[in-house]
Amino acid sequence: MQKKSFVLLALICLFFSCKQEYHLNKIEGKQIPVSDSIALDTEIDNFIKPFRDNLEKDMSKVLSFASKTYHKKDGDFNTAIGNLMAHIVLEEGNTIFNQRTGKNIDMVLLNHGGIRAPINKGNITTETAFQVMPFENSIVVVALKGQQIDSLVYYLSKAKKAHPIEGLKLTLDKNYNIVEALINKEKIDSNKTYYVATNDYLYNGGDNMKFFKTNDTVYTLDYKIRNAMIDYFKKVDTINPKLDDRFTQIQ
């Protein structure tokens, strides 16, 4: 009996000693190109066709008209398309903000990089709004004291970029020092609370705009900038935004 037990124990030890361990050494892959040579699945195509047709109809719907082409590179410190974007956020966003709070938006700050396409001369469609603003960014209104506004203005003076603004007038000298900064045509009051509309990406520190986090209150409007654009275009027959003196440099 002891001999059988010994043999059994020996077999168990042999089994575990012979068990191999496997380790991942490398992963290989290859590109499989997708082209129109792949046969169309008629059943699937027929199923999605009504949805595709409705989407294309909605996207091609004419909302407004552009008298010329507007590009974000058309100005050094402010651009016509950037001014339009900021104006849309102020006008459309303030309607909701005022209804909910009884207060008004004082200024708008967006980011230059958020404008992803030009508005071309001709018909403005729903697709135009998606091209210009493909992101799901929503409007938020941040309550900032005058000291935080000073940080915002200082950021703009050092960024040297045409970030879209509305309600703020900023003038720099040739060395990018701040000569004048006004909100609603008045000097910034360090003790006053200003309501600044921006997008959730910038509020969360995008483009290194850290000054938004030091705030009194944040109001989330649940209103996408792209939807604000569409609503605005529906109301305006022809857009004609201009470069102006809202952000300039004295040479």
Side-chain angles (χ1 to χ4, degrees):
M1 186 70 179
Q2 290 180 348
K3 185 177 181 179
K4 288 182 178 179
S5 299
F6 176 78
V7 172
L8 180 60
L9 180 61
L11 289 173
I12 293 173
C13 292
L14 179 64
F15 172 78
F16 283 104
S17 65
C18 294
K19 187 178 180 181
Q20 296 182 354
E21 293 185 4
Y22 296 92
H23 301 279
L24 180 65
N25 292 323
K26 64 179 179 179
I27 299 175
E28 294 183 341
K30 64 178 181 178
Q31 185 180 32
I32 302 176
V34 178
S35 68
D36 55 9
S37 63
I38 298 176
L40 178 68
D41 190 316
T42 305
E43 184 177 354
I44 294 177
D45 187 64
N46 289 338
F47 176 78
I48 66 173
K49 186 178 186 302
F51 302 98
R52 183 176 62 238
D53 291 345
N54 284 333
L55 178 61
E56 290 177 351
K57 181 179 179 181
D58 289 341
M59 294 295 282
S60 61
K61 184 177 180 180
V62 177
L63 307 177
S64 186
F65 184 83
S67 56
K68 58 183 291 188
T69 295
Y70 303 99
H71 198 284
K72 70 177 183 180
K73 294 183 179 180
D74 291 341
D76 293 329
F77 293 95
N78 74 90
T79 66
I81 189 172
N83 295 346
L84 174 66
M85 293 285 289
H87 177 71
I88 289 173
V89 169
L90 180 64
E91 181 167 316
E92 300 300 320
N94 193 61
T95 300
I96 298 173
F97 183 64
N98 180 264
Q99 288 175 349
R100 292 182 184 176
T101 67
K103 307 177 189 300
N104 291 305
I105 295 171
D106 292 296
M107 64 160 287
V108 175
L109 171 59
L110 304 175
N111 55 317
H112 181 263
I115 303 172
R116 305 303 287 185
I119 296 178
N120 294 315
K121 180 179 180 179
N123 289 334
I124 296 174
T125 64
T126 303
E127 185 178 11
T128 305
F130 275 82
Q131 290 171 340
V132 175
M133 179 52 64
F135 309 113
E136 298 299 305
N137 293 141
S138 296
I139 302 172
V140 298
V141 180
V142 188
L144 298 179
K145 291 292 188 183
Q147 292 180 341
Q148 280 69 54
I149 296 293
D150 289 341
S151 297
L152 182 158
V153 170
Y154 179 79
Y155 172 93
L156 290 174
S157 70
K158 299 306 177 186
K160 304 173 185 178
K161 191 174 291 185
H163 290 304
I165 60 173
E166 176 92 345
L168 171 68
K169 186 176 187 297
L170 180 59
T171 306
L172 307 179
D173 65 18
K174 63 180 182 180
N175 295 316
Y176 300 95
N177 297 311
I178 299 168
V179 175
E180 184 179 53
L182 306 174
I183 292 182
N184 296 324
K185 300 181 180 180
E186 296 182 355
K187 291 184 178 181
I188 298 169
D189 184 344
S190 60
N191 296 314
K192 184 177 178 179
T193 297
Y194 296 91
Y195 297 97
V196 183
T198 186
N199 62 55
D200 48 359
Y201 166 73
L202 296 181
Y203 169 71
N204 288 311
D207 282 10
N208 207 31
M209 295 191 187
K210 299 177 181 178
F211 44 80
F212 281 122
K213 282 299 183 179
T214 307
N215 60 74
D216 289 350
T217 315
V218 179
Y219 303 86
T220 302
L221 302 190
D222 296 317
Y223 191 24
K224 289 182 172 57
I225 292 179
R226 181 174 58 240
N227 292 344
M229 293 173 62
I230 292 171
D231 291 341
Y232 179 83
F233 291 147
K234 286 179 179 178
K235 298 188 299 184
V236 179
D237 179 75
T238 302
I239 66 166
N240 191 27
K242 304 286 187 181
L243 276 77
D244 56 29
D245 63 349
R246 70 184 64 191
F247 189 5
T248 56
Q249 182 182 34
I250 300 172
Q251 297 296 331

